[in-house]
Amino acid sequence: MSYDLEDKSRLWRIFGGLIVILFYLTSGTVGIFLPIAMHTLVCIGLVCLLGIGLLVGYITITLRDIAICLCLLAPFMCIGIIQFFVIHEAAGLKSLFKVVLNLGSALALAKFFSWNLYTKALRWSIPINIVLITIVILLGTISFDFTIRTAYDSGLFMDWKNFHFPIMWSSLMDEKVRIGGIFGHANTFGVVATMGMLGLYMNKDKASGVSQIIWWLIFIISFIFTESRASLLSLLVFIVANNMLQSWSSIKRVVKNIAIMASVTVTIVIVAFMRVNENTGDITSGRAGIMDMVSDAIMNGLPITQALGVGLGQGALYLEQQYSFMIPVDNSYFKLLLELGIIGTVMVVLTIVFLFWRYRNTTIFSKHTYWAFVLSILAHSFFEADFMMNILSIGWILFLMYASQDTMEGKNYSKHEPSRALHHI
């Protein structure tokens, strides 16, 4: 199957875009009570869609696809099985099933809708969400649900008609709130906006200067609503790295770009500092104190849990048992250490680094863009749980799957040797 959707109909593009947006919407769905999470249902639907595509011969899964999925799954599966037999932690097997579903969903999106369509759908959802948020703010009312009020959840909602948007206290200024709109949590909307912007800069058909300015203004407006400093940091790291790596071969361009990007770099440092040290009384506003508590829980745990973790998906429950209230671990590295231990953390990080290094020379993405994306994900993972193979991980997993196969070599091979596609890794 060609990963270039230029030959697909407009209806297919619209359908694909709606599927992508629906995937993120389900993570923030409120007011719908089902025995199974909506996000899990959509994942199952995408995996079934993948199976149907295989049965009718519309898509082909290559050994390369299988190898990437197995590599990403292997650390979680190995540690999960060991935890089951050694520390008798069975709850992690349920989380392992969710990891499998998320990998299958990423593969389905990569096969059916491509990286370009994925990011375009997210990018166009930004202004739509901004309009809806504005309408709800102007016409809606604030409600409070004391039953879900925690240090992590304000229990506040903005209501208008059928829209029920959760809101959180601001971390940047008083008398302001954060809101994610149809995407639920503000940070989820931030991830959506960032992925959309990354797609804008990585598209083969470069956007005009005017178009880039317009999209930047839209992104800034979304940041005002979300205050997602982690997402802003990720985008700025990508832009700086992309420009610096692109200019590496020319000393003159390096000097010029250092002068231009110095201000952006300062902004990155300020954003990172604000994300870690600001404190407005809400436990989610300051990260330095939270990470101290998490690191204490890790270091003071039993030797067996330090090595193997407390169980995949059990980190929040473990911390709540230790401190008597919920503590968000918005950091991939700390979350891995807590849930998979030192052994699992090393396995996961080395696997991800190996996969990106493995396909560095085969993708049609330019080297500077490819590595700039990797650096942005590494930076973002300091403030979000990108490496836990959840909904926040879908973007970089899809990019890896798409980048590893969207090659001229692979396209020519599949065009002339379609019957042997399973043998091409």
Side-chain angles (χ1 to χ4, degrees):
M1 171 192 173
S2 171
Y3 280 70
D4 187 0
L5 293 186
E6 293 303 322
D7 59 341
K8 299 294 187 293
S9 67
R10 181 178 296 274
L11 182 62
W12 178 254
R13 291 170 179 269
I14 294 174
F15 171 73
L18 291 175
I19 288 290
V20 170
I21 296 173
L22 175 64
F23 185 71
Y24 280 90
L25 287 180
T26 54
S27 68
T29 300
V30 292
I32 299 178
F33 302 97
L34 295 172
I36 185 172
M38 284 292 292
H39 172 65
T40 302
L41 285 177
V42 174
C43 286
I44 293 174
L46 284 173
V47 172
C48 291
L49 183 65
L50 183 65
I52 294 172
L54 283 171
L55 289 176
V56 301
Y58 181 76
I59 64 170
T60 300
I61 292 184
T62 66
L63 287 180
R64 184 182 291 174
D65 298 320
I66 298 173
I68 291 175
C69 289
L70 288 180
C71 281
L72 291 174
L73 180 62
F76 295 93
M77 182 174 293
C78 291
I79 296 298
I81 293 174
I82 294 174
Q83 288 172 344
F84 178 75
F85 287 105
V86 177
I87 62 177
H88 308 292
E89 174 54 60
L93 297 179
K94 180 180 178 181
S95 298
L96 185 61
F97 175 68
K98 293 181 179 179
V99 171
V100 174
L101 285 180
N102 275 284
L103 285 173
S105 301
L107 182 58
L109 292 174
K111 285 292 183 179
F112 281 100
F113 308 127
S114 85
W115 167 258
N116 290 334
L117 180 55
Y118 167 81
T119 54
K120 182 179 291 186
L122 297 184
R123 187 161 60 251
W124 280 100
S125 70
I126 303 174
I128 295 174
N129 195 29
I130 289 174
V131 171
L132 290 175
I133 290 175
T134 304
I135 293 175
V136 172
I137 289 176
L138 294 176
L139 303 179
T141 58
I142 296 179
S143 61
F144 176 69
D145 186 350
F146 69 91
T147 61
I148 64 172
R149 175 70 176 96
T150 65
Y152 184 55
D153 195 326
S154 66
L156 293 172
F157 296 89
M158 186 74 71
D159 295 299
W160 180 74
K161 301 291 184 180
N162 294 324
F163 296 102
H164 189 62
F165 296 161
I167 56 180
M168 290 137 276
W169 298 117
S170 170
S171 295
L172 297 179
M173 61 186 72
D174 296 330
E175 299 181 357
K176 186 180 178 299
V177 295
R178 303 172 62 201
I179 183 168
I182 58 178
F183 295 103
H185 199 285
N187 287 341
T188 304
F189 183 28
V191 171
V192 167
T194 300
M195 283 295 170
M197 291 295 290
L198 289 178
L200 177 71
Y201 285 98
M202 300 173 74
N203 200 322
K204 299 171 188 175
D205 300 323
K206 298 298 182 183
S208 65
V210 175
S211 178
Q212 290 187 29
I213 292 175
I214 293 175
W215 280 114
W216 262 105
L217 290 175
I218 294 175
F219 177 82
I220 291 173
I221 294 174
S222 72
F223 175 76
I224 294 174
F225 285 123
T226 67
E227 295 184 5
S228 180
R229 289 134 295 169
S231 298
L232 178 60
L233 175 68
S234 176
L235 182 57
L236 292 177
V237 167
F238 172 83
I239 292 175
V240 171
N242 191 45
N243 279 272
M244 296 302 293
L245 294 175
Q246 185 179 13
S247 306
W248 192 255
S249 59
S250 170
I251 296 179
K252 182 178 180 180
R253 292 184 64 184
V254 168
V255 174
K256 179 181 178 181
N257 274 304
I258 287 178
I260 295 175
M261 292 299 163
S263 58
V264 180
T265 305
V266 171
T267 304
I268 291 175
V269 174
I270 294 175
V271 170
F273 180 81
M274 287 166 43
R275 187 69 162 82
V276 172
N277 291 286
E278 90 290 346
N279 192 350
T280 60
D282 176 9
I283 192 171
T284 64
S285 64
R287 287 300 187 271
I290 293 176
M291 290 303 102
D292 286 341
M293 297 171 72
V294 175
S295 61
D296 286 341
I298 295 173
M299 299 305 297
N300 295 328
L302 298 174
I304 189 68
T305 59
Q306 290 179 3
L308 299 175
V310 299
L312 181 60
Q314 302 306 301
L317 178 60
Y318 179 80
L319 290 174
E320 189 172 3
Q321 292 173 345
Q322 297 295 312
Y323 295 103
S324 301
F325 58 90
M326 185 180 295
I327 299 177
V329 189
D330 294 334
N331 182 300
S332 289
Y333 310 101
F334 277 95
K335 196 171 183 67
L336 284 171
L337 282 170
L338 181 64
E339 297 188 3
L340 299 183
I342 298 174
I343 298 175
T345 300
V346 172
M347 291 173 63
V348 171
V349 174
L350 288 182
T351 298
I352 294 173
V353 171
F354 164 76
L355 286 174
F356 275 107
W357 181 264
R358 168 67 179 82
Y359 298 110
R360 70 193 186 283
N361 292 324
T362 59
T363 176
I364 63 172
F365 287 113
S366 59
K367 289 284 188 66
H368 56 85
T369 299
Y370 184 84
W371 288 118
F373 179 88
V374 175
L375 290 174
S376 71
I377 294 301
L378 291 175
H380 191 256
S381 297
F382 277 100
F383 304 107
E384 295 292 349
D386 292 302
F387 292 162
M388 301 310 296
M389 306 302 163
N390 51 28
I391 190 171
L392 296 177
S393 313
I394 295 299
W396 71 259
I397 297 174
L398 189 150
F399 172 83
L400 175 62
M401 291 177 173
Y402 185 78
S404 67
Q405 303 189 50
D406 191 12
T407 63
M408 295 308 298
E409 176 188 358
K411 287 182 178 180
N412 293 333
Y413 187 92
S414 61
K415 185 183 297 183
H416 298 295
E417 303 275 354
S419 62
R420 298 176 58 189
L422 280 173
H423 301 287
H424 183 57
I425 301 180

